[in-house]
Amino acid sequence: MRELVKKLTEAFGPSGREDEIRNLILEEIKDHVDGYKVDKVGNILAWKGQGERKVLLDAHMDEIGVVVTNIDENGFLRIEPVGGVSPYTIFRKRIRFERVTGVIGIEGETPDEIEKNLSKMSFDKLYVDIGAKNREEAEKLAPIGSFGVYDSHFVEVSGRFVSKAMDDRIGCAVIVEVLKRVKNSDITLFASFSVQEEVGLVGASVVAYDIMPDEAIAVDVTDSADTPKAIKRHPMVLGKGPAIKVMDKASISDKNILEKLINTAEKKGIPYQMEVLIFGGTNAAVLQRTRYGIPSATVSIPTRYLHTPSEMVEPSDVEGTIELLASYLEGG
Amino acid sequence: MYLKELSEIPGVSGDEDKVRNFIRERIESKLDEIRIDRMGNLIGIKKGEKSNGRLLLVAHMDEVGLMVTKINDDGTLSFAPVGGVDPRVLPGKKVRVGEDKLGIVGYKAIHLQKSEEIKKPPSYENLRIYMGFSSKKEVEKEVEIGTYVSFLTKYTEENGRATGKAFDDRGGCSILMDIIDLNERYDFDVYFAFVVQEEVGLRGSAILMEQLHPDVALVLETTTAGDNPEIPEYQWATHLGDGPVITFAHRGYVADKRVFQVLIETAVKHGIPFQMKRRTAGGTDAGRLARRGRGVPAGVISIPARYIHSPLSIMDLGDYRNTFELVKKVVEDGKIMEEVSG
């Protein structure tokens, strides 16, 4: 699983530019499913099993990123966020475009001005230095409209996984593993790896239209509030297992699914934790509202430092999530 | 080009009847089928020779404006914006109240303002429309709560540039009408949708997908120039005179990569100048279409215009022509259909 997580998180795939990650996932799942397709907007939809009851597991394959909006005469790039990238997070980090890597700098003609720009940061004050000597050179390497992601690599620290894009490649990894493991199930399992979640749940809004499953479970990351002076009202921590989401800002999980998930965990002795997130949302919000409605819920992997180049997860939580979902689908 | 006529018709979001009638009368005889759906979107269909694909072209008929919220005892009207209108563009402007009544957005004369008052931007709480009446009773004969108020600007052309109201998005509507005027039949079906209520949240386009199930959608917009002299060039959104604008991403949606690339390739192939939309703020119907039904690969081509969402905008007529050329070539070449079916 470590290798899978490393491979998936290091892949390039900001919202709307999911080709690389899509191919990687297809490669991983194609021998373990009965069929798959890539739909009109670029979602992967795979299926396995012949049962009457249809269950959809969804993880989004896109990650947050930036896009080049302007280039000045000296070859410095201007960028805007694609999804929830904070200028405070990105400052002084490296950004990887498809052909070149750049460093983020900040404007300031005087120390006072730099101080001011640092305290009230905005993308308008930041630039990317890709080492280009002039506009022409920059336009060749990263033309306007080029997408970039954090330049960050997978590392294992004290047994924990750290990388960019755990949100939501860790969810993708979970579903890939579930597809591999689920064998004797009397349901039809659908798995979607959806696009453009980070800019507004685009892919998941349409992915279930034709299949209209009996239930849908989004597998995504959630805030882990076990760091110094973290959000007091959040109960989620690393190491206590998958988080079964009751509510976030965008959806409330279907009660029946919640109950069944909890029963499965109890029966199988899988450690789990309950989740209420006071902000944020997952694809469950739009899956729920597809056509005449799909009962939907979210199972989350607690993650520290969300939307940064170093998102941290605990492997036992990931393993627990796989186990919980696989048992759930096998009617356990 | 129907920009002049379209621009001068009032059609604030939810009140698009006059725009719809104008367009309908002129396109009806040139299409195979025409219908008005439940929200008021005008949909025209040109069947394809082979009819194995569906291309949807979309422009919105509505414009931003105002609505009367209260008739005050002194005969003035209080109002709210319909769509995004900066209150700073309103004081001292003539407006059309209801069908044909004239009003003026009042403001305190400069002589009576203290310097700190002048520095404070006006707000909807403080602005009133004056119609020349001095009592509530008189006004009530002419105006009701909920009466639409629209900008009142005559269209003019000078030095290759057009000025007028509502270019956003009568510019896009006019381009679609020009394409219809070509009276061409293509291999695939072409749906022309003139939609309502874009400015209040991409509402009209929300019901297109269930009706039309297109394979590709192309939204024709009129977009912010933002090339003001006080803004450094590297922060401009677009620039007048540099050609049609192609969008890679905007609020809530990253334009489909295949569609985005076909638009660029088509422009390059035919030597049509073009530019990128260089800010990602603001959204279009493309974002709504991609999220409805089975979804659709969508792209956006826009004509740049200065000062949109105000009583007066400026458009470069060369940009208009090049936008028309680009859309025409995209439809003629048909590569956009191949890309998404492949």
Side-chain angles (χ1 to χ4, degrees), chain B residues 41-53:
Chain B
N41 300 313
L42 173 64
I43 298 165
I45 302 173
K46 189 84 173 181
K47 285 279 175 198
E49 299 272 9
K50 295 179 183 156
S51 195
N52 49 5

Side-chain angles (χ1 to χ4, degrees), chain A residues 20-295:
Chain A
E20 184 181 321
I21 180 66
R22 180 166 42 237
N23 290 337
L24 269 181
I25 292 172
L26 283 174
E27 203 52 45
E28 286 294 329
I29 64 168
K30 68 179 181 3
D31 298 334
H32 305 278
V33 296
D34 296 340
Y36 66 85
K37 67 167 189 175
V38 176
D39 74 7
K40 285 172 185 251
V41 299
N43 299 314
I44 296 174
L45 184 65
W47 51 90
K48 186 173 187 171
Q50 307 263 317
E52 205 178 311
R53 198 164 73 96
K54 296 186 278 187
V55 180
L56 172 72
L57 296 185
D58 171 88
H60 66 90
M61 57 181 168
D62 64 313
E63 64 186 298
I64 54 169
V66 298
V67 63
V68 178
T69 51
N70 268 297
I71 301 175
D72 73 15
E73 64 271 27
N74 296 317
F76 292 101
L77 315 178
R78 298 288 164 158
I79 52 169
E80 286 187 26
V82 176
V85 178
S86 160
Y88 289 93
T89 303
I90 207 168
F91 174 57
R92 293 261 157 88
K93 302 289 191 312
R94 289 180 194 162
I95 290 294
R96 175 157 64 95
F97 298 98
E98 274 171 292
R99 264 174 284 171
V100 68
T101 297
V103 181
I104 308 273
I106 194 162
E107 294 177 348
E109 290 181 8
T110 61
D112 279 356
E113 201 175 295
I114 292 176
E115 199 62 38
K116 213 179 95 203
N117 289 345
L118 282 171
S119 63
K120 264 192 105 176
M121 234 189 251
S122 85
F123 276 89
D124 277 352
K125 303 277 183 244
L126 300 179
Y127 59 84
V128 188
D129 185 345
I130 54 167
K133 297 173 189 66
N134 51 47
R135 178 181 277 150
E136 290 66 38
E137 200 180 323
E139 276 170 350
K140 277 186 204 124
L141 295 165
I144 292 172
S146 298
F147 287 69
V149 298
Y150 294 128
D151 181 45
S152 169
H153 296 276
F154 178 93
V155 286
E156 197 177 323
V157 291
S158 312
R160 285 175 173 165
F161 297 163
V162 174
S163 180
K164 74 167 179 67
M166 285 294 176
D167 179 4
D168 183 26
R169 304 286 165 70
I170 199 68
C172 295
V174 164
I175 297 180
V176 166
E177 283 299 318
V178 169
L179 284 170
K180 287 178 184 170
R181 285 187 209 180
V182 171
K183 295 238 158 59
N184 306 310
S185 169
D186 52 5
I187 60 156
T188 304
L189 168 60
F190 285 93
S192 62
F193 300 88
S194 48
V195 298
Q196 297 204 29
E197 189 268 357
E198 295 291 358
V199 295
L201 320 182
V202 178
S205 298
V206 301
V207 77
Y209 187 95
D210 279 320
I211 56 171
M212 285 308 285
D214 299 296
E215 45 187 85
I217 299 175
V219 185
D220 209 333
V221 297
T222 192
D223 179 53
S224 181
D226 50 356
T227 51
K229 292 201 177 180
I231 298 175
K232 279 185 194 163
R233 280 192 284 158
H234 278 166
M236 296 78 75
V237 297
L238 295 191
K240 282 199 176 165
I244 299 175
K245 183 181 304 239
V246 181
M247 181 175 86
D248 61 27
K249 204 70 186 280
S251 74
I252 296 169
S253 292
D254 179 82
K255 258 189 188 163
N256 288 321
I257 303 179
L258 283 189
E259 224 169 88
K260 287 192 286 177
L261 282 166
I262 293 165
N263 287 342
T264 306
E266 294 284 353
K267 211 165 116 191
K268 294 275 172 178
I270 303 164
Y272 68 97
Q273 47 189 322
M274 298 307 289
E275 168 192 354
V276 176
L277 187 73
I278 57 178
F279 49 72
T282 73
N283 277 336
V286 291
L287 291 167
Q288 182 175 56
R289 280 176 255 173
T290 302
R291 292 176 74 190
Y292 45 88
I294 303 168

Side-chain angles (χ1 to χ4, degrees), chain B residues 19-289:
Chain B
V19 184
R20 182 168 50 237
N21 290 340
F22 175 87
I23 299 172
R24 186 189 177 150
E25 276 169 28
R26 280 154 193 82
I27 64 173
E28 216 156 14
S29 62
K30 299 158 196 161
L31 296 168
D32 300 321
E33 193 188 324
I34 200 144
R35 68 169 105 124
I36 295 165
D37 72 11
R38 288 182 172 180
M39 280 187 81
N41 300 313
L42 173 64
I43 298 165
I45 302 173
K46 189 84 173 181
K47 285 279 175 198
E49 299 272 9
K50 295 179 183 156
S51 195
N52 49 5
R54 302 184 184 119
L55 172 64
L56 171 63
L57 301 178
V58 182
H60 67 89
M61 297 188 283
D62 62 314
E63 65 185 290
V64 297
L66 312 166
M67 186 181 275
V68 175
T69 57
K70 192 181 173 192
I71 299 166
N72 300 305
D73 291 338
D74 62 358
T76 62
L77 309 174
S78 292
F79 57 92
V82 179
V85 183
D86 180 347
R88 288 174 298 183
V89 306
L90 294 175
K93 301 297 192 310
K94 270 199 240 177
V95 288
R96 178 193 283 111
V97 182
E99 287 297 308
D100 55 359
K101 295 286 177 294
L102 185 70
I104 287 163
V105 183
Y107 70 104
K108 202 169 169 183
I110 191 165
H111 322 76
L112 306 175
Q113 294 191 59
K114 299 195 177 74
S115 60
E116 56 271 26
E117 269 183 280
I118 292 174
K119 281 179 205 150
K120 259 180 80 180
S123 74
Y124 283 102
E125 279 71 36
N126 303 326
L127 290 171
R128 300 280 185 277
I129 292 170
Y130 295 77
M131 293 180 68
F133 297 116
S134 44
S135 78
K136 189 173 178 174
K137 233 170 145 185
E138 286 173 283
V139 187
E140 276 173 342
K141 285 182 211 146
E142 309 285 350
V143 182
E144 294 173 322
I145 288 159
T147 294
Y148 279 100
V149 176
S150 62
F151 298 135
L152 190 55
T153 311
K154 287 281 171 212
Y155 176 93
T156 56
E157 279 180 19
E158 209 167 328
N159 302 324
R161 301 229 154 137
T163 61
K165 73 164 181 68
F167 285 176
D168 174 11
D169 182 31
R170 304 294 157 70
C173 292
S174 179
I175 301 261
L176 286 202
M177 291 174 75
D178 290 347
I179 298 288
I180 293 170
D181 280 346
L182 295 171
N183 230 332
E184 288 284 337
R185 201 170 282 282
Y186 308 94
D187 282 355
F188 43 87
D189 292 352
V190 182
Y191 295 115
F192 298 90
F194 300 88
V195 300
V196 298
Q197 301 192 34
E198 189 271 352
E199 295 292 359
V200 287
L202 319 176
R203 294 179 192 164
S205 59
I207 64 168
L208 289 183
M209 293 296 297
E210 288 288 335
Q211 303 181 70
L212 306 174
H213 305 289
D215 298 305
V216 189
L218 196 54
V219 173
L220 275 303
E221 262 287 6
T222 305
T223 197
T224 331
D227 54 353
N228 307 29
E230 73 270 23
I231 302 175
E233 203 178 321
Y234 57 77
Q235 288 182 1
W236 290 356
T238 66
H239 182 41
L240 249 59
D242 286 357
V245 179
I246 299 174
T247 296
F248 44 79
H250 64 46
R251 189 184 62 228
Y253 183 59
V254 178
D256 187 89
K257 189 181 167 189
R258 296 159 294 181
V259 176
F260 171 69
Q261 281 171 346
V262 168
L263 300 184
I264 293 172
E265 283 162 23
T266 308
V268 171
K269 181 179 161 199
H270 297 282
I272 302 164
F274 70 97
Q275 56 184 317
M276 295 292 171
K277 175 78 183 273
R278 305 190 286 282
R279 304 294 292 205
T280 60
T284 75
D285 286 316
R288 180 67 73 199
L289 294 166

